[in-house]
Amino acid sequence: MGKRPPITNRVRELRDVHGAMSQAALGEAVGVTRQTIIAIEQGRYSPSLETAFRIARLFGAGVEDVFGWEG
């Protein structure tokens, strides 16, 4: 297994805050698969800048409110 990217996120927390939005619904809303959302939430995958902005905007937040840099 490869090294995890140093990017943290609050995607799961924000999904819960926004009415327990499903991973599938979030994926569809931002144009990625449910599996991609799962990988992002688990820290196994770093989203593209475009996807990061789409996720942040969907939750009415800034990118840095959703994603962080570990270390």
Side-chain angles (χ1 to χ4, degrees):
M1 185 172 214
K3 187 175 178 182
R4 287 180 173 251
I7 296 176
T8 61
N9 73 80
R10 298 177 48 229
V11 174
R12 183 177 181 142
E13 173 190 340
L14 290 168
R15 279 192 311 105
D16 289 343
V17 168
H18 287 82
M21 174 184 270
S22 72
Q23 293 166 327
L26 176 57
E28 184 175 329
V30 301
V32 299
T33 66
R34 176 179 165 266
Q35 288 75 21
T36 298
I37 298 299
I38 292 169
I40 291 170
E41 288 184 356
Q42 293 177 345
R44 294 185 289 111
Y45 177 75
S46 297
S48 69
L49 188 56
E50 180 180 346
T51 300
F53 270 102
R54 288 179 186 271
I55 291 171
R57 286 190 176 191
L58 185 77
F59 292 131
V63 172
E64 290 188 9
D65 296 322
V66 180
F67 298 94
W69 185 261
E70 201 172 61

